[in-house]
Amino acid sequence: MAFVVIASYLPGMSTPDRPVAFRIDRPAPDRAEAAARREAAVARIRAETGIDEAMIDALVEGFYAKVREDDVIGPIFAAHIDDWGPHLEQMKLFWSSVALSTGVYQGRPMPKHLPLPIDARHFDHWLGLFEATARELCPPVAAEHFIVRAHRIAESLELGVANANGVLVGPGERYRRPETPWTPEAG
């Protein structure tokens, strides 16, 4: 692979404006090539894990049925979701993109989670429910594939929620919302 390096002999350009390197041996891929690579990746993941849309549908439906009945995270979801149909459809697209790399989900989950009253305890609970559902409904290879990605998602969202609340979480640290101590006046 050939690279051309443009050194600092471009005196008229400031550092941010100065190109450092660029590829000259291959044109940028076109959309058809990118789509073919995505299709090949999706097919490989399907073959390795057995995951398909029917499995994603069953996992999403089964998981959110548990969420709606859950005493810890159920009320948080209930406070923000009036119509479960569209939410479940979005979650199916999300998990298709996450588990199969299909790219069908175009949403932005982080902004939706930032204002929620959640912390590490909620993410751990979410993961517990998700893991149990994945292990119940999916073959072991598929369950593990989903679970690994769920952990990455939970970690990312927890870091984002912490940051949105002015807390910088270091390596190995978890975010816990401040708890107001009980006082007789507060009840």
Side-chain angles (χ1 to χ4, degrees):
M1 188 176 304
F3 285 92
V4 175
V5 177
I6 310 290
S8 59
Y9 57 79
L10 298 173
M13 298 178 90
S14 65
T15 303
D17 297 328
R18 185 177 333 129
V20 177
F22 59 93
R23 285 177 70 152
I24 60 171
D25 64 332
R26 212 170 122 190
D30 63 15
R31 289 185 187 269
E33 182 183 338
R37 280 198 323 271
R38 181 182 295 277
E39 286 177 29
V42 170
R44 180 185 51 77
I45 295 167
R46 287 180 195 279
E48 291 172 359
T49 64
I51 296 171
D52 60 13
E53 276 68 23
M55 187 183 299
I56 291 169
D57 286 358
L59 178 62
V60 168
E61 295 283 344
F63 172 66
Y64 283 103
K66 288 181 181 183
V67 165
R68 288 191 295 267
E69 299 297 320
D70 189 75
D71 292 336
V72 176
I73 62 175
I76 296 167
F77 280 87
H80 293 81
I81 299 172
D82 296 323
D83 185 356
W84 278 90
H87 179 71
L88 294 176
E89 291 308 310
Q90 283 298 302
M91 292 299 92
K92 291 171 187 177
L93 295 173
F94 175 80
W95 279 104
S96 177
S97 289
V98 168
L100 295 174
S101 298
T102 60
V104 295
Y105 177 76
Q106 299 299 314
R108 296 178 47 222
M110 186 66 75
K112 295 174 183 172
H113 288 81
L114 296 181
L116 299 177
I118 54 178
D119 65 13
R121 295 166 289 201
H122 299 95
F123 288 110
D124 290 346
H125 196 79
W126 179 87
L127 282 169
L129 286 175
F130 188 86
E131 286 181 25
T133 308
R135 292 192 196 290
E136 286 170 20
L137 300 176
C138 303
V141 171
E144 198 57 35
H145 188 81
F146 282 119
I147 291 166
V148 165
R149 281 146 187 82
H151 277 268
R152 290 180 192 154
I153 292 163
E155 180 180 17
S156 175
L157 290 174
E158 183 180 330
L159 290 172
V161 169
N163 189 46
N165 284 281
V167 177
L168 184 59
V169 179
E173 295 178 341
R174 303 292 306 280
Y175 172 63
R176 288 194 58 156
R177 296 178 73 79
E179 295 181 41
T180 25
W182 182 86
T183 62
E185 299 80 33

